[in-house]
Amino acid sequence: MSNTVMIANDAIFGAEAECFITIGTRRYNFMQMTEFESKWEVNIAEVPILGKVGMGHKPAGGKGTWSGTAHYNQSVFREMANEYQKTGVLPYFEIQVSNEDPNSSAGRQTIIHRGCLCDSFILAKLTAGEELLDEELSGTFESWDMPEKFHDLEGSLTNE
Protein backbone atom coordinates (compact mmCIF):
# COMPACT_ATOMS: atom_id res chain seq x y z
CA MET A 1 0.00 0.00 0.00
CA SER A 2 1.31 3.43 -0.98
CA ASN A 3 1.73 6.14 1.63
CA THR A 4 1.30 9.08 -0.73
CA VAL A 5 0.68 12.36 1.08
CA MET A 6 -0.42 15.76 -0.09
CA ILE A 7 2.28 18.35 -0.74
CA ALA A 8 1.77 21.24 1.71
CA ASN A 9 2.05 23.78 -1.11
CA ASP A 10 -1.11 22.29 -2.67
CA ALA A 11 -3.30 23.64 0.16
CA ILE A 12 -5.23 26.66 -1.11
CA PHE A 13 -4.44 30.04 0.47
CA GLY A 14 -7.86 31.67 0.94
CA ALA A 15 -6.80 35.29 0.46
CA GLU A 16 -6.01 34.55 -3.20
CA ALA A 17 -9.75 34.22 -3.98
CA GLU A 18 -11.89 36.53 -6.11
CA CYS A 19 -15.55 37.40 -5.60
CA PHE A 20 -17.82 39.12 -8.12
CA ILE A 21 -21.48 40.04 -7.75
CA THR A 22 -23.68 40.69 -10.78
CA ILE A 23 -27.00 42.48 -10.34
CA GLY A 24 -28.83 42.93 -13.63
CA THR A 25 -26.21 44.38 -16.01
CA ARG A 26 -23.91 45.69 -13.24
CA ARG A 27 -20.92 43.59 -12.19
CA TYR A 28 -19.05 44.41 -8.98
CA ASN A 29 -15.62 43.22 -7.89
CA PHE A 30 -16.71 42.43 -4.35
CA MET A 31 -13.24 42.79 -2.85
CA GLN A 32 -14.87 43.79 0.47
CA MET A 33 -15.64 40.12 1.18
CA THR A 34 -13.37 38.65 3.87
CA GLU A 35 -15.18 35.32 4.28
CA PHE A 36 -17.62 33.41 2.09
CA GLU A 37 -19.17 29.96 2.19
CA SER A 38 -21.91 28.38 0.12
CA LYS A 39 -23.61 25.03 0.58
CA TRP A 40 -25.86 22.83 -1.53
CA GLU A 41 -28.01 20.76 0.79
CA VAL A 42 -29.63 17.68 -0.75
CA ASN A 43 -33.13 16.89 0.51
CA ILE A 44 -33.26 13.19 1.28
CA ALA A 45 -36.72 11.58 1.27
CA GLU A 46 -37.42 8.43 3.28
CA VAL A 47 -38.72 5.56 1.17
CA PRO A 48 -40.73 2.83 2.94
CA ILE A 49 -39.99 -0.54 1.36
CA LEU A 50 -42.26 -3.56 1.80
CA GLY A 51 -40.39 -6.51 3.26
CA LYS A 52 -37.57 -4.38 4.65
CA VAL A 53 -37.27 -3.21 8.27
CA GLY A 54 -35.13 -0.15 7.49
CA MET A 55 -36.10 2.84 5.39
CA GLY A 56 -34.64 3.45 1.99
CA HIS A 57 -33.48 6.92 1.01
CA LYS A 58 -33.72 8.88 -2.21
CA PRO A 59 -32.50 12.35 -3.18
CA ALA A 60 -35.48 14.67 -3.69
CA GLY A 61 -34.32 18.15 -4.61
CA GLY A 62 -31.88 20.54 -3.04
CA LYS A 63 -31.40 23.94 -1.46
CA GLY A 64 -28.54 26.41 -1.79
CA THR A 65 -27.49 28.78 0.98
CA TRP A 66 -24.61 31.22 1.26
CA SER A 67 -23.10 33.38 3.99
CA GLY A 68 -20.19 35.70 4.36
CA THR A 69 -18.53 38.59 6.09
CA ALA A 70 -17.61 41.83 4.33
CA HIS A 71 -16.05 45.12 5.29
CA TYR A 72 -18.81 47.67 5.90
CA ASN A 73 -17.78 50.02 3.07
CA GLN A 74 -20.27 49.44 0.26
CA SER A 75 -23.95 50.19 -0.31
CA VAL A 76 -24.75 47.56 -2.97
CA PHE A 77 -26.89 45.40 -0.69
CA ARG A 78 -28.48 48.38 1.10
CA GLU A 79 -29.55 49.73 -2.30
CA MET A 80 -31.16 46.33 -2.96
CA ALA A 81 -33.01 46.50 0.37
CA ASN A 82 -34.11 50.07 -0.35
CA GLU A 83 -35.49 49.05 -3.75
CA TYR A 84 -37.39 46.18 -2.13
CA GLN A 85 -38.94 48.26 0.66
CA LYS A 86 -40.04 50.95 -1.84
CA THR A 87 -41.20 48.81 -4.77
CA GLY A 88 -41.70 45.28 -3.45
CA VAL A 89 -39.12 44.03 -5.98
CA LEU A 90 -36.11 42.19 -4.56
CA PRO A 91 -33.68 41.62 -7.42
CA TYR A 92 -32.02 38.26 -7.98
CA PHE A 93 -28.26 38.35 -8.51
CA GLU A 94 -25.24 36.12 -9.10
CA ILE A 95 -22.20 35.53 -6.92
CA GLN A 96 -19.05 34.20 -8.58
CA VAL A 97 -16.23 32.92 -6.38
CA SER A 98 -12.89 31.73 -7.78
CA ASN A 99 -10.07 30.16 -5.81
CA GLU A 100 -6.60 30.02 -7.31
CA ASP A 101 -3.34 29.88 -5.41
CA PRO A 102 -0.31 30.22 -7.72
CA ASN A 103 1.74 28.09 -5.30
CA SER A 104 -0.65 25.14 -5.58
CA SER A 105 -0.77 22.65 -8.43
CA ALA A 106 -4.55 22.34 -7.80
CA GLY A 107 -5.18 25.14 -10.30
CA ARG A 108 -8.37 27.19 -10.30
CA GLN A 109 -11.97 26.49 -9.29
CA THR A 110 -14.90 28.81 -10.02
CA ILE A 111 -18.44 28.47 -8.70
CA ILE A 112 -21.20 30.73 -10.06
CA HIS A 113 -24.25 30.93 -7.77
CA ARG A 114 -27.39 31.84 -9.73
CA GLY A 115 -30.74 33.16 -8.53
CA CYS A 116 -29.26 34.60 -5.32
CA LEU A 117 -31.28 36.51 -2.73
CA CYS A 118 -30.26 38.17 0.55
CA ASP A 119 -32.30 37.14 3.57
CA SER A 120 -31.40 40.14 5.75
CA PHE A 121 -29.68 43.51 5.42
CA ILE A 122 -27.56 45.62 7.77
CA LEU A 123 -28.80 49.17 7.17
CA ALA A 124 -26.64 51.24 9.49
CA LYS A 125 -23.83 50.43 11.89
CA LEU A 126 -21.37 52.13 14.21
CA THR A 127 -18.80 51.15 16.81
CA ALA A 128 -16.99 53.63 19.04
CA GLY A 129 -13.24 53.10 19.26
CA GLU A 130 -10.76 51.76 16.78
CA GLU A 131 -12.72 48.74 15.55
CA LEU A 132 -13.11 48.12 11.82
CA LEU A 133 -16.73 47.82 10.76
CA ASP A 134 -17.81 44.63 9.02
CA GLU A 135 -21.17 43.06 8.23
CA GLU A 136 -22.60 39.57 8.03
CA LEU A 137 -24.33 38.70 4.76
CA SER A 138 -26.44 35.63 3.99
CA GLY A 139 -29.06 34.30 1.67
CA THR A 140 -30.12 31.60 -0.73
CA PHE A 141 -29.40 30.62 -4.33
CA GLU A 142 -31.39 28.48 -6.74
CA SER A 143 -28.70 26.85 -8.89
CA TRP A 144 -24.97 26.85 -9.50
CA ASP A 145 -22.39 26.13 -12.17
CA MET A 146 -18.74 25.10 -11.95
CA PRO A 147 -17.03 26.29 -15.16
CA GLU A 148 -13.57 25.64 -13.69
CA LYS A 149 -12.57 22.83 -11.33
CA PHE A 150 -9.43 21.99 -9.40
CA HIS A 151 -6.99 19.51 -10.96
CA ASP A 152 -6.66 16.09 -9.35
CA LEU A 153 -3.58 16.30 -7.14
CA GLU A 154 -0.60 14.02 -7.73
CA GLY A 155 -1.28 10.72 -5.97
CA SER A 156 -4.98 11.35 -5.30
CA LEU A 157 -6.24 8.88 -7.92
CA THR A 158 -5.62 5.21 -7.27
CA ASN A 159 -6.35 2.07 -9.22
CA GLU A 160 -7.06 0.05 -6.08
Side-chain angles (χ1 to χ4, degrees), residues 18-37:
E18 297 175 323
C19 182
F20 294 92
I21 294 176
T22 304
I23 306 167
T25 59
R26 301 200 67 176
R27 182 173 164 91
Y28 300 90
N29 181 353
F30 212 69
M31 59 193 167
Q32 295 87 348
M33 196 68 82
T34 60
E35 289 184 39
F36 181 85
E37 182 175 272

Side-chain angles (χ1 to χ4, degrees), residues 61-87:
K63 175 184 176 184
T65 58
W66 62 271
S67 62
T69 303
H71 293 296
Y72 181 79
N73 64 357
Q74 54 76 33
S75 295
V76 173
F77 288 109
R78 279 170 281 290
E79 289 173 338
M80 222 184 282
N82 192 32
E83 179 180 340
Y84 180 58
Q85 66 108 12
K86 287 184 177 179
T87 68

Side-chain angles (χ1 to χ4, degrees), residues 21 66 76-78 80-81 84 90-93 95 115-121 137-141:
I21 294 176
W66 62 271
V76 173
F77 288 109
R78 279 170 281 290
M80 222 184 282
Y84 180 58
L90 184 60
Y92 286 92
F93 58 96
I95 301 173
C116 297
L117 290 173
C118 282
D119 57 20
S120 65
F121 300 91
L137 304 166
S138 62
T140 60
F141 60 95

Side-chain angles (χ1 to χ4, degrees), residues 2 155-160:
S2 171
S156 65
L157 292 176
T158 65
N159 292 328
E160 298 175 16

